[in-house]
Amino acid sequence: YNPADFYVQMLAIAPNKETECRETIKKICDSFAVSPIARDIIETASLVNGAGVGIELARAKHHANDPYFLQPMDGVDSTGYRASWWTQFYCILWRSWLSVLKDPMLVKVRLLQTAMVASLIGSIYFGQVLDQDGVMNINGSLFLFLTNMTFQNVFAVINVFSAELPVFLREKRSRLYRVDTYFLGKTIAELPLFIAVPFVFTSITYPMIGLKAGVSHYLTTLFIVTLVANVSTSFGYLISCASSSISMALSVGPPVVIPFLIFGGFFL
């Protein structure tokens, strides 16, 4: 928790709560006034103010180990971070996972949308046979596999880092965590959803279209579609990181993705 935010929250006068806030502030100030730290500070300040410059410098040197003089922070390593790499990663992962859990409707909508699109594609290409027309239809359905997984996952994350960029830059400058721990924590927290979406899509469309029967063939398709979905997610992260705003990320996304689909092997 940011100490400055905590102090402001405890000591600020909130609108429509002036009386309660002033009473809380008075209790805090009265408690501090009778604390040992306050007495030590008042005693030291009076001694320093009553002495000459030489005595003041001597006392400052003498009290260099006192807590109210600026000292190197305990627990901070040579890199400037108070927490270890694993602690940073765990905290970012837990915070990102909580943000995912706090929006269950988004997860439900993503899965429902995937199921509806999969059912639509399965209905259009239902029961294909291996003749000339069937091969072309299956070729088109496989292209829709890639198109759906690409655009759905790119635009699902294209605003993630753009929206959180101010918070990230502030916390990074405060040396709260590294860039790699932030990125890994964010991506791993959202990984279950990016595995569930390809599973739902492939499980619905694969039998409806009538693709090659067999568990091993289904698992191979599921593995490839999952890889495509997660590569698209990473590509969306790349666009999001490279864009300074959400509107720029949304504008850059489609023109960058289209060439990969054109040269994917289905048309040329």
Side-chain angles (χ1 to χ4, degrees), residues 74-90:
D74 294 333
V76 177
D77 56 16
S78 59
T79 61
Y81 296 101
R82 182 182 289 268
S84 64
W85 191 95
W86 285 107
T87 303
Q88 297 176 32
F89 172 73
Y90 172 78

PDB file of all heavy atoms in Angstrom, residues 74-90:
ATOM      1  N   ASP A  74      16.218  -0.310   5.251  1.00  0.00           N
ATOM      2  CA  ASP A  74      16.508  -1.699   5.570  1.00  0.00           C
ATOM      3  C   ASP A  74      15.863  -2.617   4.548  1.00  0.00           C
ATOM      4  O   ASP A  74      14.706  -2.422   4.151  1.00  0.00           O
ATOM      5  CB  ASP A  74      15.974  -2.047   6.967  1.00  0.00           C
ATOM      6  CG  ASP A  74      16.711  -1.276   8.055  1.00  0.00           C
ATOM      7  OD1 ASP A  74      17.877  -0.927   7.811  1.00  0.00           O
ATOM      8  OD2 ASP A  74      16.104  -1.031   9.119  1.00  0.00           O
ATOM      9  N   GLY A  75      16.591  -3.625   4.134  1.00  0.00           N
ATOM     10  CA  GLY A  75      16.036  -4.631   3.238  1.00  0.00           C
ATOM     11  C   GLY A  75      16.128  -4.298   1.772  1.00  0.00           C
ATOM     12  O   GLY A  75      15.701  -5.085   0.933  1.00  0.00           O
ATOM     13  N   VAL A  76      16.655  -3.144   1.424  1.00  0.00           N
ATOM     14  CA  VAL A  76      16.767  -2.764   0.018  1.00  0.00           C
ATOM     15  C   VAL A  76      18.095  -3.284  -0.521  1.00  0.00           C
ATOM     16  O   VAL A  76      19.154  -2.984   0.027  1.00  0.00           O
ATOM     17  CB  VAL A  76      16.678  -1.240  -0.151  1.00  0.00           C
ATOM     18  CG1 VAL A  76      16.869  -0.856  -1.608  1.00  0.00           C
ATOM     19  CG2 VAL A  76      15.340  -0.732   0.363  1.00  0.00           C
ATOM     20  N   ASP A  77      18.030  -4.085  -1.588  1.00  0.00           N
ATOM     21  CA  ASP A  77      19.258  -4.659  -2.129  1.00  0.00           C
ATOM     22  C   ASP A  77      19.916  -3.682  -3.087  1.00  0.00           C
ATOM     23  O   ASP A  77      19.499  -2.532  -3.232  1.00  0.00           O
ATOM     24  CB  ASP A  77      18.968  -6.000  -2.817  1.00  0.00           C
ATOM     25  CG  ASP A  77      17.924  -5.871  -3.909  1.00  0.00           C
ATOM     26  OD1 ASP A  77      17.660  -4.726  -4.337  1.00  0.00           O
ATOM     27  OD2 ASP A  77      17.383  -6.902  -4.335  1.00  0.00           O
ATOM     28  N   SER A  78      20.964  -4.157  -3.755  1.00  0.00           N
ATOM     29  CA  SER A  78      21.736  -3.278  -4.631  1.00  0.00           C
ATOM     30  C   SER A  78      20.943  -2.788  -5.832  1.00  0.00           C
ATOM     31  O   SER A  78      21.271  -1.765  -6.429  1.00  0.00           O
ATOM     32  CB  SER A  78      22.992  -4.022  -5.120  1.00  0.00           C
ATOM     33  OG  SER A  78      22.629  -5.207  -5.817  1.00  0.00           O
ATOM     34  N   THR A  79      19.875  -3.513  -6.214  1.00  0.00           N
ATOM     35  CA  THR A  79      19.055  -3.089  -7.346  1.00  0.00           C
ATOM     36  C   THR A  79      18.045  -2.020  -6.973  1.00  0.00           C
ATOM     37  O   THR A  79      17.403  -1.453  -7.851  1.00  0.00           O
ATOM     38  CB  THR A  79      18.319  -4.298  -7.950  1.00  0.00           C
ATOM     39  OG1 THR A  79      17.464  -4.870  -6.949  1.00  0.00           O
ATOM     40  CG2 THR A  79      19.313  -5.346  -8.439  1.00  0.00           C
ATOM     41  N   GLY A  80      17.844  -1.753  -5.695  1.00  0.00           N
ATOM     42  CA  GLY A  80      16.911  -0.727  -5.268  1.00  0.00           C
ATOM     43  C   GLY A  80      15.527  -1.221  -4.966  1.00  0.00           C
ATOM     44  O   GLY A  80      14.626  -0.420  -4.695  1.00  0.00           O
ATOM     45  N   TYR A  81      15.276  -2.533  -4.986  1.00  0.00           N
ATOM     46  CA  TYR A  81      13.964  -3.080  -4.702  1.00  0.00           C
ATOM     47  C   TYR A  81      13.958  -3.664  -3.289  1.00  0.00           C
ATOM     48  O   TYR A  81      14.865  -4.390  -2.901  1.00  0.00           O
ATOM     49  CB  TYR A  81      13.598  -4.187  -5.703  1.00  0.00           C
ATOM     50  CG  TYR A  81      13.476  -3.691  -7.121  1.00  0.00           C
ATOM     51  CD1 TYR A  81      14.508  -3.878  -8.031  1.00  0.00           C
ATOM     52  CD2 TYR A  81      12.328  -3.038  -7.542  1.00  0.00           C
ATOM     53  CE1 TYR A  81      14.407  -3.420  -9.327  1.00  0.00           C
ATOM     54  CE2 TYR A  81      12.210  -2.577  -8.851  1.00  0.00           C
ATOM     55  CZ  TYR A  81      13.248  -2.772  -9.737  1.00  0.00           C
ATOM     56  OH  TYR A  81      13.145  -2.320 -11.018  1.00  0.00           O
ATOM     57  N   ARG A  82      12.918  -3.350  -2.539  1.00  0.00           N
ATOM     58  CA  ARG A  82      12.811  -3.863  -1.184  1.00  0.00           C
ATOM     59  C   ARG A  82      12.416  -5.343  -1.186  1.00  0.00           C
ATOM     60  O   ARG A  82      12.847  -6.099  -0.308  1.00  0.00           O
ATOM     61  CB  ARG A  82      11.779  -3.050  -0.397  1.00  0.00           C
ATOM     62  CG  ARG A  82      11.624  -3.483   1.047  1.00  0.00           C
ATOM     63  CD  ARG A  82      10.550  -2.667   1.737  1.00  0.00           C
ATOM     64  NE  ARG A  82      10.992  -1.294   1.956  1.00  0.00           N
ATOM     65  CZ  ARG A  82      11.594  -0.887   3.063  1.00  0.00           C
ATOM     66  NH1 ARG A  82      11.870  -1.743   4.017  1.00  0.00           N
ATOM     67  NH2 ARG A  82      11.946   0.362   3.203  1.00  0.00           N
ATOM     68  N   ALA A  83      11.590  -5.751  -2.141  1.00  0.00           N
ATOM     69  CA  ALA A  83      11.111  -7.134  -2.189  1.00  0.00           C
ATOM     70  C   ALA A  83      11.924  -7.937  -3.194  1.00  0.00           C
ATOM     71  O   ALA A  83      12.487  -7.391  -4.153  1.00  0.00           O
ATOM     72  CB  ALA A  83       9.631  -7.166  -2.576  1.00  0.00           C
ATOM     73  N   SER A  84      11.966  -9.233  -2.992  1.00  0.00           N
ATOM     74  CA  SER A  84      12.666 -10.124  -3.906  1.00  0.00           C
ATOM     75  C   SER A  84      11.864 -10.301  -5.182  1.00  0.00           C
ATOM     76  O   SER A  84      10.691  -9.903  -5.277  1.00  0.00           O
ATOM     77  CB  SER A  84      12.904 -11.480  -3.248  1.00  0.00           C
ATOM     78  OG  SER A  84      11.665 -12.129  -2.977  1.00  0.00           O
ATOM     79  N   TRP A  85      12.496 -10.947  -6.184  1.00  0.00           N
ATOM     80  CA  TRP A  85      11.817 -11.158  -7.467  1.00  0.00           C
ATOM     81  C   TRP A  85      10.552 -11.992  -7.281  1.00  0.00           C
ATOM     82  O   TRP A  85       9.499 -11.674  -7.823  1.00  0.00           O
ATOM     83  CB  TRP A  85      12.772 -11.840  -8.441  1.00  0.00           C
ATOM     84  CG  TRP A  85      12.279 -11.878  -9.855  1.00  0.00           C
ATOM     85  CD1 TRP A  85      12.562 -10.998 -10.846  1.00  0.00           C
ATOM     86  CD2 TRP A  85      11.388 -12.852 -10.439  1.00  0.00           C
ATOM     87  NE1 TRP A  85      11.916 -11.353 -12.013  1.00  0.00           N
ATOM     88  CE2 TRP A  85      11.185 -12.492 -11.796  1.00  0.00           C
ATOM     89  CE3 TRP A  85      10.746 -13.991  -9.952  1.00  0.00           C
ATOM     90  CZ2 TRP A  85      10.384 -13.212 -12.649  1.00  0.00           C
ATOM     91  CZ3 TRP A  85       9.922 -14.713 -10.807  1.00  0.00           C
ATOM     92  CH2 TRP A  85       9.742 -14.328 -12.136  1.00  0.00           C
ATOM     93  N   TRP A  86      10.661 -13.069  -6.507  1.00  0.00           N
ATOM     94  CA  TRP A  86       9.512 -13.955  -6.313  1.00  0.00           C
ATOM     95  C   TRP A  86       8.392 -13.254  -5.553  1.00  0.00           C
ATOM     96  O   TRP A  86       7.216 -13.480  -5.820  1.00  0.00           O
ATOM     97  CB  TRP A  86       9.943 -15.225  -5.583  1.00  0.00           C
ATOM     98  CG  TRP A  86      10.693 -16.166  -6.459  1.00  0.00           C
ATOM     99  CD1 TRP A  86      12.023 -16.443  -6.433  1.00  0.00           C
ATOM    100  CD2 TRP A  86      10.145 -16.956  -7.545  1.00  0.00           C
ATOM    101  NE1 TRP A  86      12.348 -17.345  -7.422  1.00  0.00           N
ATOM    102  CE2 TRP A  86      11.226 -17.682  -8.114  1.00  0.00           C
ATOM    103  CE3 TRP A  86       8.875 -17.113  -8.075  1.00  0.00           C
ATOM    104  CZ2 TRP A  86      11.041 -18.547  -9.175  1.00  0.00           C
ATOM    105  CZ3 TRP A  86       8.692 -17.976  -9.147  1.00  0.00           C
ATOM    106  CH2 TRP A  86       9.772 -18.681  -9.688  1.00  0.00           C
ATOM    107  N   THR A  87       8.739 -12.423  -4.586  1.00  0.00           N
ATOM    108  CA  THR A  87       7.708 -11.695  -3.848  1.00  0.00           C
ATOM    109  C   THR A  87       6.983 -10.722  -4.764  1.00  0.00           C
ATOM    110  O   THR A  87       5.748 -10.614  -4.727  1.00  0.00           O
ATOM    111  CB  THR A  87       8.348 -10.939  -2.675  1.00  0.00           C
ATOM    112  OG1 THR A  87       9.047 -11.864  -1.836  1.00  0.00           O
ATOM    113  CG2 THR A  87       7.286 -10.212  -1.854  1.00  0.00           C
ATOM    114  N   GLN A  88       7.727 -10.009  -5.590  1.00  0.00           N
ATOM    115  CA  GLN A  88       7.097  -9.103  -6.553  1.00  0.00           C
ATOM    116  C   GLN A  88       6.174  -9.869  -7.492  1.00  0.00           C
ATOM    117  O   GLN A  88       5.032  -9.451  -7.743  1.00  0.00           O
ATOM    118  CB  GLN A  88       8.176  -8.379  -7.363  1.00  0.00           C
ATOM    119  CG  GLN A  88       9.079  -7.478  -6.553  1.00  0.00           C
ATOM    120  CD  GLN A  88      10.184  -6.880  -7.396  1.00  0.00           C
ATOM    121  OE1 GLN A  88      10.007  -6.631  -8.585  1.00  0.00           O
ATOM    122  NE2 GLN A  88      11.334  -6.655  -6.795  1.00  0.00           N
ATOM    123  N   PHE A  89       6.681 -10.993  -8.021  1.00  0.00           N
ATOM    124  CA  PHE A  89       5.881 -11.780  -8.952  1.00  0.00           C
ATOM    125  C   PHE A  89       4.609 -12.291  -8.296  1.00  0.00           C
ATOM    126  O   PHE A  89       3.522 -12.232  -8.881  1.00  0.00           O
ATOM    127  CB  PHE A  89       6.719 -12.952  -9.474  1.00  0.00           C
ATOM    128  CG  PHE A  89       5.950 -13.940 -10.299  1.00  0.00           C
ATOM    129  CD1 PHE A  89       5.534 -13.623 -11.577  1.00  0.00           C
ATOM    130  CD2 PHE A  89       5.631 -15.194  -9.788  1.00  0.00           C
ATOM    131  CE1 PHE A  89       4.814 -14.520 -12.333  1.00  0.00           C
ATOM    132  CE2 PHE A  89       4.913 -16.099 -10.540  1.00  0.00           C
ATOM    133  CZ  PHE A  89       4.501 -15.768 -11.817  1.00  0.00           C
ATOM    134  N   TYR A  90       4.720 -12.782  -7.057  1.00  0.00           N
ATOM    135  CA  TYR A  90       3.550 -13.318  -6.355  1.00  0.00           C
ATOM    136  C   TYR A  90       2.511 -12.223  -6.120  1.00  0.00           C
ATOM    137  O   TYR A  90       1.312 -12.444  -6.333  1.00  0.00           O
ATOM    138  CB  TYR A  90       3.985 -13.938  -5.027  1.00  0.00           C
ATOM    139  CG  TYR A  90       2.827 -14.341  -4.143  1.00  0.00           C
ATOM    140  CD1 TYR A  90       2.114 -15.516  -4.398  1.00  0.00           C
ATOM    141  CD2 TYR A  90       2.432 -13.547  -3.070  1.00  0.00           C
ATOM    142  CE1 TYR A  90       1.042 -15.876  -3.601  1.00  0.00           C
ATOM    143  CE2 TYR A  90       1.368 -13.904  -2.271  1.00  0.00           C
ATOM    144  CZ  TYR A  90       0.674 -15.065  -2.541  1.00  0.00           C
ATOM    145  OH  TYR A  90      -0.388 -15.423  -1.749  1.00  0.00           O
TER     146      TYR A  90
END
